[in-house]
Amino acid sequence: DHALQKELIFLHLPGKKPLGIPLISPSSSCLLCGCQLQLRKDRHAPIVIYDAKYGTIPGAHFHKFCPKRTCSFTQYYGYYSTQNQIIFNSDWSSLPFFISSRDTAFSLDILKQLDANIMIGQISFKQQAEIYNYMHGYCRRDTKAISRYVRMLFSGIFTGK
């Protein structure tokens, strides 16, 4: 819920950076036994979120657990684990982010963009990464030289030269 999200965004741990965007599963009950899941506010995993609009964003991945001692169910954002198996929830694609590894998440918008650029535009993943870095100011290339080239190109197009 919104109040919990706000509380977790502003949660600071002594001597550490702010948590960033909290990723918490919307699931509220255990899929194995039906018990009400409990959120672990005191434990989170730092995560890097890649977003098409905002670039790279820090985040915090929280999990929920089943309080029943005989149940080994743990719910994460978009997936769950039980008996050392990780299983994606059937509704993972309805969430705004996809967690691809323990410390990495992608917005679904950037995944759709990546899919279109690779499948339709036939650009490589490396080219997509360079575009992402350029668009968000993480580029190692000389952006002034690129900008000069783009201005020259467009000035020739629009002036008819």
Side-chain angles (χ1 to χ4, degrees):
D1 82 4
H2 183 68
L4 176 62
Q5 293 276 342
K6 190 173 179 181
E7 174 190 340
L8 293 174
I9 286 172
F10 294 105
L11 176 70
H12 294 274
L13 301 177
K16 295 189 179 182
K17 294 179 182 178
L19 298 178
I21 295 175
L23 298 182
I24 305 166
S25 172
S27 299
S28 59
S29 59
C30 177
L31 294 177
L32 300 180
C33 70
C35 284
Q36 183 75 21
L37 294 173
Q38 303 293 313
L39 175 65
R40 288 290 306 259
K41 289 184 190 179
D42 62 329
R43 290 181 72 187
H44 71 279
I47 195 162
V48 176
I49 302 169
Y50 296 95
D51 184 78
K53 184 175 182 180
Y54 301 108
T56 306
I57 307 166
H61 187 197
F62 290 87
H63 70 275
K64 296 177 179 180
F65 66 96
C66 181
K68 192 174 177 181
R69 291 181 189 246
T70 58
C71 191
S72 64
F73 184 82
T74 305
Q75 178 68 57
Y76 298 93
Y77 184 87
Y79 66 95
Y80 60 92
S81 70
T82 182
Q83 299 173 352
N84 295 326
Q85 290 186 351
I86 294 175
I87 302 161
F88 283 93
N89 291 92
S90 59
D91 65 347
W92 69 266
S93 63
S94 67
L95 298 172
F97 302 103
F98 173 73
I99 295 182
S100 63
S101 72
R102 181 169 284 249
D103 56 3
T104 308
F106 294 90
S107 70
L108 285 192
D109 291 341
I110 200 169
L111 292 178
K112 289 175 187 172
Q113 219 176 51
L114 178 64
D115 183 47
N117 286 339
I118 291 173
M119 299 302 289
I120 298 168
Q122 298 181 356
I123 65 172
S124 69
F125 184 81
K126 181 181 179 190
Q127 290 169 317
Q128 179 64 36
E130 288 181 8
I131 290 168
Y132 176 86
N133 289 337
Y134 178 77
M135 295 302 294
H136 298 290
Y138 312 129
C139 189
R140 292 184 187 151
R141 293 181 181 205
D142 181 5
T143 55
K144 289 181 183 175
I146 293 170
S147 296
R148 274 194 313 271
Y149 174 75
V150 170
R151 280 195 308 273
M152 286 180 0
L153 178 67
F154 279 110
S155 68
I157 291 172
F158 293 117
T159 60
K161 295 180 181 178

